[in-house]
Amino acid sequence: MRIPAKPVGVVLFLAAAVGASADSAGSQPNILWLSCEDISAHLGCYGYPNATTPVLDAFAMESVIYDHAYTTAGVCAPCRSAIITGMYQTSIGSHHMRCNAVPPDHVKPFTFWLTEAGYYRTNNSKQDYQFETPQETWDESSSKAHWQNCPADKPFFSVFNYTGCHESGIASESKYENVVEGLEKHDRDVVAQSLPPYYPDTPVARDDWGRYYDVVTAMDRWVGEHLAALDTAGLTNDTIVVYWSDHGVGLPRAKRWLYESGTHVPLIIRVPEKWRKLVGAEFVPGTRSDRMISMIDLGPTMLSLADVATPDHMQGRAFLGPHAAAPRSYIFGARDRMDERYDIIRMVRDKRYRYVRNYEPYKTWYQYMNTPEQGRTMREIRNSEAVIASGGSTNDKNVKTVGQFLQPRKPLEELYDVDNDPHEMTNLVADPSLANKLRELRQQHLNWVVDTRDVGLIPEAELHRLRAVAGSEWAILNTGDNAAERMEAIRDAAVLAGGTDANDLPRLAEWLSHDEATVRYWAATGIGNRGIAATSMAKATDQLVLLLQDESENVRIAAARALMGLGKSGPALKTLSQVLDDGSQWARVHAAIVLDELEEAARPAINAMKRNKANRDGFVAKGKYAVRVLNKALNDLEGTHNTVP
C-alpha cells in the first residue's frame, strides 16, 4: 500500500526533549545512511504514480517522509561539503565545483563528534568534500567499508552511496544498460506525462526522461538489498535508517540549478520502536512532515540522536532527538562556479515561494559547459535553440517554454509560487499582489549573505589571494573588528552591480577606489554591465584604466571588460591577454570567459587565446577549465567544432 501523496491531515512534529541515554552497552542506536545521487523526489511514495519504487514505498510506510527537504546547491560536491560539516559551502569556501578549500581548525566533519560519543564510523565510499578529508573523519572509508566490521561493543554510523542514478547513468549508453540490467524499463510515452515543460518534447528527450525513471528503479532495488542485509543480521530493530539524495535530477535546468528540480530531494527516516524515545511520541511511522529541512541539518540531527549537542559554529539545526532546534522558516541555496563557468546565484525558499537572485544576470541560463553539453537532452535543447534562432518550425510542443531559458540574459530577480507553478515557469517579480513577499524573501537573502559571510561573492582568484594571508576562506570575513562591515560593503556592491540603471553609475564610480578589492571588482563589473551609458564619465574611465594595474587579478579583468564597452579595447585586450599568459589558474579561467563573452570583439586577442589553448604542458598545472573555455571561444571565432576533455 502506498502512502497517499497528499494526506488529509499532514502530521507535523518536533522532537521532544528527552533525558540522556543510559551508559550501558546498547544504549545508543545504530544509524545507517543510504544516499543516492542526482534524483529529485520522483518516488511512488512522494506521489509519482509512474515511478517504480516498491522498496522505498514500503519503507516509507514504516517511516516519516519529509516533504520539504532541500540541498544547499544543485550539484554534488558543494552539497556534500555542507552536509559533512553542517556549514554552508559559501561560508567555508567549498562552493565552487571542483575546488580545494581550507576549512578553519574548528570546522570538522560532524563524524568527529560521533567518535567522541562512541560510534564506529564507516563510509562506502564517496567523500567529495572539496577539502582534504581529516584523517580522523572515518574509521573506514573505502569500497569495502561496512557496518559488519563494527566492534561488538560499539554502535555504528554507516554510510552507503549509490552512484548508478548519477547523470552519467543517463548519458552513457553502456553505464545505463549496466545499471538497469534485469529491470523492466518504463514506457517512454507513459513517463512523458511528467516530462517538464522546459525540456523538448522529442523522442530523445522522452527517452532520457525514461532512463531517469529506470535508474531510479535500479536505486530502489539497491535500497532493498541494504534493508535486507539489516534484516538478515537481526539489526533492523536496532538501527535508524536515513534515506536521501544529494541533489535533484541529473539533467539540464535541474542539476546545477537552484530551482525545485535541482534542490528538492527525498528524505525518508525510519526509527524503530526501540528508539522512538529519542524522537518523541509525535514521530509516527507512515506519516509526512512539512517541516523545512536543509540538508546541512543532517549532521546536527545525527549528533542529537547520539545525544550530542550541536557544536556552536554549525549552521545546521538538529530536527530530531533531544537537541532538536526550532523549525526553519526559510531554506537557502547557492550556485557558484560549475566546472569552467561562473554564475553566482542565490536562493531563498519558504513553504510556498522561491526567490532567486542572479548576481550575473548578463549571462544566459545555459552557459556552454563541456560536461552537460555532451548529454542528449542538452543537445536537444541546442537543437531547439537553432530552430528558434532560424524561425523554423518544429513538432515539439514545448519549444516555446524551452526557449524561455535560452534568452541571452536572466532577470535580476525571480519569484515563483511553487505550489501553483511546480516547474517554476512564471516569474512573479512584477506581480503587485506579491510585492510584500518579494521584499520579505529579498531581505532574508540579504541578511543571510552577511550573517553567513558569503565568500562566494569574492571572485575566485581574489579568494585564493586573501586565503593565503588569512589561512582559510572562512577567516577572510570572520576575523578582524570590521568583518561584518566588509561583508556588507561587498554585498551592497554586488547587489548594485547586477542592475542596468544608469543612475547607479556615480556610486559605482566612487567604489572604483574602494579599499576592498572585491568592492572594486563589483564596481567595475557594474559599470561594464551598463556599457555605453558610462561613456560620459571620463573620471570613471580614467580610474578603470588605472585598475588595469590593480593588485587583484579579478579587478584587472573586470576593469578590462568594462573598458571594452567604453571603446578602450586596446589596453583592455592587452590586459586580458597578459592574464592568460601569466595569471593564476582561476584568473585565467575568468579572463577566458570574458574573451568568450566578447565574441567577435575578442578577435584581436586570438593569438593569445590560441597560445594558451595549446599550452598542453600547463594543462594540469594551470587548469583545464581555461583551456575548455578558450576552445569554445576559438570554435566560435573560427567556425570549428572540436572539444577538449
Side-chain angles (χ1 to χ4, degrees):
M1 179 180 178
R2 177 171 293 156
I3 297 177
K6 292 184 178 180
V8 175
V10 176
V11 177
L12 310 179
F13 62 85
L14 285 175
V18 298
S21 302
D23 293 331
S24 59
S27 63
Q28 295 168 297
N30 300 317
I31 301 173
L32 174 63
W33 273 13
L34 298 177
S35 69
C36 63
E37 304 186 10
D38 295 29
I39 78 159
S40 296
H42 291 113
L43 310 173
C45 56
Y46 271 91
Y48 288 86
N50 296 325
T52 307
T53 54
V55 173
L56 282 164
D57 295 350
F59 175 72
M61 293 292 292
E62 306 170 339
S63 310
V64 168
I65 293 177
Y66 291 85
D67 284 322
H68 285 287
Y70 300 92
T71 56
T72 59
V75 72
C76 58
C79 289
R80 291 178 180 274
S81 170
I83 289 168
I84 197 65
T85 61
M87 299 284 288
Y88 291 109
Q89 67 273 11
T90 47
S91 293
I92 60 173
S94 56
H95 49 290
H96 292 304
M97 188 64 179
R98 299 286 161 251
C99 68
N100 189 21
V102 179
D105 290 341
H106 68 277
V107 173
K108 296 179 174 66
F110 72 85
T111 54
F112 270 63
W113 288 269
L114 280 178
T115 195
E116 293 176 6
Y119 275 77
Y120 187 76
R121 307 148 307 150
T122 72
N123 179 54
N124 187 331
S125 62
K126 187 168 184 174
Q127 294 183 7
D128 210 13
Y129 306 143
Q130 307 226 106
F131 54 80
E132 186 175 348
T133 305
Q135 187 174 357
E136 300 84 3
T137 301
W138 301 104
D139 295 297
E140 294 181 78
S141 183
S142 72
S143 60
K144 296 181 180 180
H146 203 289
W147 50 260
Q148 292 172 342
N149 303 326
C150 179
D153 61 342
K154 285 179 174 287
F156 63 75
F157 172 72
S158 191
V159 179
F160 292 88
N161 182 66
Y162 182 73
T163 63
C165 47
H166 184 268
E167 68 178 325
S168 56
I170 300 173
S172 166
E173 187 76 30
S174 59
K175 184 172 182 179
Y176 164 73
E177 291 296 344
N178 182 62
V179 167
V180 302
E181 183 178 1
L183 293 175
E184 181 179 352
K185 297 178 181 178
H186 290 78
D187 185 302
R188 280 14 185 183
D189 291 334
V190 172
V191 297
Q193 297 170 12
S194 62
L195 183 72
Y198 42 79
Y199 294 147
D201 191 2
T202 65
V204 171
R206 284 186 170 210
D207 189 47
D208 265 7
W209 194 241
R211 286 187 178 191
Y212 167 64
Y213 271 80
D214 293 344
V215 298
V216 168
T217 298
M219 175 274 300
D220 185 75
R221 176 175 59 182
W222 171 85
V223 170
E225 293 168 355
H226 281 278
L227 296 179
L230 277 184
D231 284 341
T232 300
L235 291 173
T236 297
N237 293 330
D238 296 298
T239 306
I240 295 173
V241 181
V242 183
Y243 164 79
W244 54 275
S245 171
D246 64 352
H247 57 76
V249 183
L251 289 170
R253 202 199 171 265
K255 183 170 184 173
R256 302 176 181 87
W257 273 263
L258 294 177
Y259 299 115
E260 198 78 356
S261 53
T263 62
H264 183 223
V265 293
L267 174 62
I268 309 174
I269 300 178
R270 184 176 74 183
V271 179
E273 185 175 358
K274 178 178 179 179
W275 299 111
R276 301 272 168 75
K277 60 187 178 182
L278 290 176
V279 294
E282 294 86 356
F283 189 99
V284 180
T287 62
R288 314 176 78 93
S289 170
D290 70 348
R291 179 168 178 150
M292 301 282 283
I293 306 293
S294 171
M295 297 305 274
I296 63 171
D297 299 337
L298 283 181
T301 301
M302 299 309 105
L303 295 181
S304 181
L305 293 173
D307 199 17
V308 177
T310 302
D312 290 341
H313 71 273
M314 285 190 181
Q315 296 158 329
R317 302 179 185 179
F319 57 88
L320 291 174
H323 303 284
R328 292 180 177 275
S329 298
Y330 306 98
I331 300 292
F332 301 91
R335 170 174 170 149
D336 294 277
R337 178 173 52 75
M338 295 291 132
D339 294 344
E340 69 267 34
R341 297 287 177 173
Y342 293 102
D343 199 358
I344 302 173
I345 306 175
R346 298 294 181 261
M347 176 273 288
V348 184
R349 172 77 153 87
D350 66 13
K351 284 186 180 176
R352 179 170 175 177
Y353 295 96
R354 180 185 307 274
Y355 169 84
V356 176
R357 176 85 193 197
N358 293 302
Y359 278 89
E360 299 177 284
Y362 51 88
K363 297 178 178 179
T364 182
W365 277 278
Y366 289 125
Q367 292 190 82
Y368 187 98
M369 291 180 285
N370 266 29
T371 298
E373 291 291 337
Q374 295 170 20
R376 299 190 309 165
T377 295
M378 192 66 235
R379 290 200 294 268
E380 291 293 283
I381 290 171
R382 293 300 183 204
N383 290 339
S384 296
E385 185 175 30
V387 169
I388 294 169
S390 67
S393 61
T394 175
N395 293 325
D396 175 13
K397 66 180 179 63
N398 285 354
V399 68
K400 184 176 181 180
T401 49
V402 172
Q404 190 171 321
F405 298 97
L406 292 167
Q407 303 302 313
R409 292 182 61 96
K410 300 188 293 292
L412 187 65
E413 297 178 299
E414 301 171 59
L415 180 67
Y416 299 101
D417 179 349
V418 186
D419 283 358
N420 293 310
D421 180 20
H423 293 299
E424 296 162 307
M425 303 298 293
T426 303
N427 185 2
L428 300 173
V429 161
D431 187 335
S433 69
L434 292 174
N436 288 338
K437 176 57 67 174
L438 176 63
R439 280 192 291 269
E440 171 196 341
L441 296 182
R442 178 193 293 138
Q443 193 59 52
Q444 286 296 324
H445 159 66
L446 295 174
N447 293 344
W448 179 85
V449 167
V450 174
D451 293 344
T452 65
R453 302 294 195 271
D454 185 351
V455 296
L457 297 186
I458 302 175
E460 193 165 13
E462 178 65 12
L463 189 68
H464 281 244
R465 185 176 78 92
L466 295 174
R467 183 182 74 180
V469 176
S472 71
E473 289 89 343
W474 177 90
I476 294 170
L477 293 171
N478 279 281
T479 55
D481 295 336
N482 63 339
E485 289 79 5
R486 290 177 63 204
M487 184 72 253
E488 288 177 2
I490 290 169
R491 178 200 63 186
D492 293 347
V495 166
L496 203 64
T500 57
D501 191 343
N503 292 324
D504 296 328
L505 282 168
R507 192 175 184 189
L508 291 168
E510 179 183 346
W511 281 341
L512 290 174
S513 57
H514 199 280
D515 290 342
E516 186 78 44
T518 302
V519 174
R520 299 196 297 275
Y521 165 80
W522 282 112
T525 299
I527 292 173
N529 291 346
R530 289 156 177 82
I532 196 68
T535 53
S536 62
M537 302 185 67
K539 185 176 180 180
T541 302
D542 292 343
Q543 185 64 33
L544 286 167
V545 171
L546 291 175
L547 290 182
L548 295 179
Q549 306 300 320
D550 197 88
E551 62 179 349
S552 168
E553 294 172 299
N554 290 115
V555 172
R556 299 202 295 270
I557 295 165
R561 173 179 173 270
L563 287 167
M564 287 296 297
L566 299 176
K568 302 287 185 179
S569 60
L573 291 175
K574 180 180 179 181
T575 295
L576 293 171
S577 298
Q578 288 174 338
V579 173
L580 283 184
D581 287 336
D582 305 320
S584 63
Q585 177 181 355
W586 302 113
R588 293 179 69 246
V589 173
H590 187 188
I593 290 171
V594 170
L595 288 165
D596 181 33
E597 292 171 347
L598 289 172
E599 299 178 335
E600 187 61 32
R603 187 173 292 278
I606 199 167
N607 288 335
M609 295 164 72
K610 287 182 176 180
R611 184 165 63 245
N612 280 272
K613 180 202 163 186
N615 183 17
R616 306 302 293 182
D617 292 339
F619 188 85
V620 175
K622 287 197 170 184
K624 63 183 179 182
Y625 292 149
V627 176
R628 285 185 182 180
V629 176
L630 291 171
N631 180 69
K632 188 267 180 184
L634 289 167
N635 285 346
D636 290 345
L637 286 172
E638 299 185 315
T640 55
H641 299 283
N642 58 303
T643 60
V644 171

